[in-house]
């Protein structure tokens, strides 16, 4: 199963500041929404609160809780009116159980952050679609780049796309990664 990290980060690897993304890239937000369509997106609670409407995306909010009593529902609409296909929440063991019980095969799991969620899923990744913003920003959450590079030192391929809009410049790198010690998430 493909497990992909999708993330935008500054040149100093900052991905969040006080629960928000510290830069505005509308093109990258569109990419994220489109990439996640018809897939299972895993995020932390703060990241979930900042998501746009994603009606064609199933979302799992990874928490320290054991079950999905907090957010289990289909066709969820939050206080801002954003729509989601389905939302569940729970801890990592519960997530693995949910994935293993899905009757249809999943084409891909997308890991969308925050920092602790990326750390949890690093050993399972097969791909990473990382957007680098060409400037340093202040923030309280960083992408675990050192651990990512340590675990995924073998890159099967890398595609780089460059973007520019006004004074904003960024690049998106799609890494196919290989980790000889990669853990399997799904056991059945």
């Amino acid at each position: 199963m493909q497990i992909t990290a999708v993330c935008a980060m500054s040149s100093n690897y900052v991905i969040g500041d006080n629960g928000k993304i510290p830069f505005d890239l509308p093109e990258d937000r569109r990419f994220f929404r489109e990439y996640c369509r018809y897939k299972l997106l895993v995020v932390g609670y703060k990241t979930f609160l900042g998501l746009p409407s994603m009606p064609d995306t199933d979302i799992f909010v990874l928490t320290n809780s054991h079950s999905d009593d907090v957010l289990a529902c289909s066709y969820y609409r939050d206080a801002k009116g954003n729509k989601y296909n389905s939302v569940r929440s729970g801890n990592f063991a519960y997530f693995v159980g949910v994935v293993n019980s899905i009757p249809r095969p999943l084409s891909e799991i997308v890991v969308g952050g925050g920092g602790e969620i990326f750390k949890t899923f690093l050993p399972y990744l097969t791909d990473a679609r990382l957007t680098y913003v060409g400037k340093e920003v202040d923030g309280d959450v960083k992408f675990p780049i050192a651990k990512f590079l340590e675990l995924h030192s073998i890159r099967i391929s890398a595609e780089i796309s460059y973007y520019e809009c006004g004074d904003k410049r960024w690049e998106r790198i799609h890494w196919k990664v290989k980790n000889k010690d990669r853990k399997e998430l799904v056991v059945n």
Side-chain angles (χ1 to χ4, degrees):
M1 174 186 308
Q2 186 172 327
I3 301 176
T4 304
V6 178
C7 181
M9 68 184 80
S10 67
S11 58
N12 57 331
Y13 312 114
V14 171
I15 60 173
D17 189 33
N18 292 317
K20 299 200 182 318
I21 297 174
F23 32 79
D24 183 35
L25 297 173
E27 169 73 23
D28 200 59
R29 283 196 316 267
R30 279 190 293 282
F31 167 78
F32 181 78
R33 262 194 316 273
E34 284 302 311
Y35 190 82
C36 293
R37 285 184 82 184
Y38 310 114
K39 297 173 185 161
L40 176 60
L41 172 64
V42 183
V43 293
Y45 187 71
K46 287 182 187 176
T47 301
F48 172 70
L49 293 177
L51 288 177
S53 275
M54 298 179 81
D56 299 325
T57 304
D58 293 317
I59 299 172
F60 192 95
V61 181
L62 199 61
T63 66
N64 293 324
S65 163
H66 293 292
S67 69
D68 64 352
D69 355 336
V70 182
L71 296 169
C73 55
S74 293
Y75 304 106
Y76 178 79
R77 185 183 294 269
D78 69 8
K80 295 182 272 185
N82 291 327
K83 295 183 223 171
Y84 309 99
N85 190 40
S86 70
V87 178
R88 300 188 83 166
S89 68
N91 65 14
F92 188 76
Y94 182 74
F95 170 76
V96 172
V98 166
V99 169
N100 282 318
S101 69
I102 293 174
R104 69 188 192 292
L106 285 171
S107 62
E108 183 174 1
I109 294 173
V110 178
V111 182
E116 291 302 314
I117 306 307
F118 286 125
K119 286 178 192 170
T120 300
F121 278 89
L122 282 178
Y124 303 94
L125 294 179
T126 59
D127 290 76
R129 293 182 181 263
L130 306 176
T131 300
Y132 292 96
V133 179
K135 64 179 182 179
E136 288 191 14
V137 298
D138 292 329
D140 54 6
V141 181
K142 290 189 172 194
F143 184 82
I145 194 71
K147 190 68 174 168
F148 174 79
L149 293 173
E150 174 189 323
L151 286 174
H152 303 290
S153 58
I154 302 170
R155 290 169 197 82
I156 297 170
S157 66
E159 298 170 18
I160 303 175
S161 305
Y162 297 95
Y163 300 89
E164 191 170 335
C165 181
D167 64 341
K168 297 175 185 170
R169 293 182 183 91
W170 68 96
E171 60 188 48
R172 184 174 303 120
I173 301 176
H174 174 202
W175 273 341
K176 288 288 244 179
V177 293
K178 184 175 182 180
N179 171 359
K180 65 180 172 67
D181 300 323
R182 181 176 173 268
K183 297 179 182 179
E184 287 296 326
L185 182 66
V186 181
V187 293
N188 62 349

